[in-house]
Amino acid sequence: MTDPAEASIALALAAASESFIAAAGPGGQNVNKVATAVQLRVDVFALRLAPPVYHRLRALAGSRMTAKGEIVLTARRFRTQEQNRADARERLAELIRAAHRLPEQRAKSRLNRVGKAQRLDSKKKRGAVKAGRGKVTLD
């Protein structure tokens, strides 16, 4: 049986559409002539993710997810199309892997009877200090 995250990644990479756009940054005059930045678009609904995974992906994607349910990643870190293309695909894969990871459950802290009594005593003392800070009246 295959890992569901890897299956989703394969599906996403197959369904992704890429467009090349002009990029700012390193490259000198080459930047003005060649469209080296990559814009990767993936329809999240085509991935058929389980609802909890979809909600985690939506939270992780943040502003990179459109109202229509597309994730739009722009990669312009490198000077060549191929490097930017590989960067965008790797970032998409990492985003999907992170969405498939279950968040760690927080373990409840256990407080024993003595610790509870100490906490309540310190709260009472602190409250007494604060109660003594009222306005001073001259009688």
Side-chain angles (χ1 to χ4, degrees):
M1 192 163 127
T2 60
D3 182 24
E6 296 305 318
S8 294
I9 291 169
L11 190 61
L13 293 177
S17 65
E18 296 170 340
S19 56
F20 297 97
I21 55 177
Q29 294 299 313
N30 194 48
V31 166
N32 302 327
K33 297 185 293 183
V34 183
T36 55
V38 178
Q39 193 173 59
L40 191 71
R41 290 181 169 270
V42 180
D43 182 15
V44 175
F45 299 117
L47 302 181
R48 302 269 185 235
L49 298 171
V53 176
Y54 167 75
H55 290 299
R56 284 194 295 269
L57 181 62
R58 200 170 82 187
L60 286 168
S63 64
R64 293 174 289 194
M65 185 174 249
T66 65
K68 287 193 256 177
E70 284 186 328
I71 292 180
V72 180
L73 294 174
T74 305
R76 56 169 58 107
R77 224 173 16 174
F78 301 102
R79 290 179 61 163
T80 64
Q81 277 185 353
E82 281 307 309
Q83 284 179 310
N84 282 329
R85 191 169 176 245
D87 182 41
R89 288 172 162 263
E90 183 53 42
R91 283 173 36 204
L92 175 65
E94 186 51 45
L95 196 63
I96 294 172
R97 275 189 208 104
H100 275 277
R101 274 187 227 115
L102 285 172
E104 288 185 20
Q105 292 293 319
R106 181 186 167 280
K108 280 188 173 180
S109 58
R110 292 179 50 98
L111 197 59
N112 60 17
R113 185 177 45 80
V114 175
K116 192 173 182 180
Q118 286 175 348
R119 183 179 64 86
L120 292 174
D121 285 343
S122 68
K123 282 172 66 101
K124 283 180 187 166
K125 285 178 188 170
R126 192 77 198 139
V129 168
K130 288 186 175 187
R133 291 187 185 153
K135 284 189 177 180
V136 177
T137 57
L138 298 171
D139 287 336

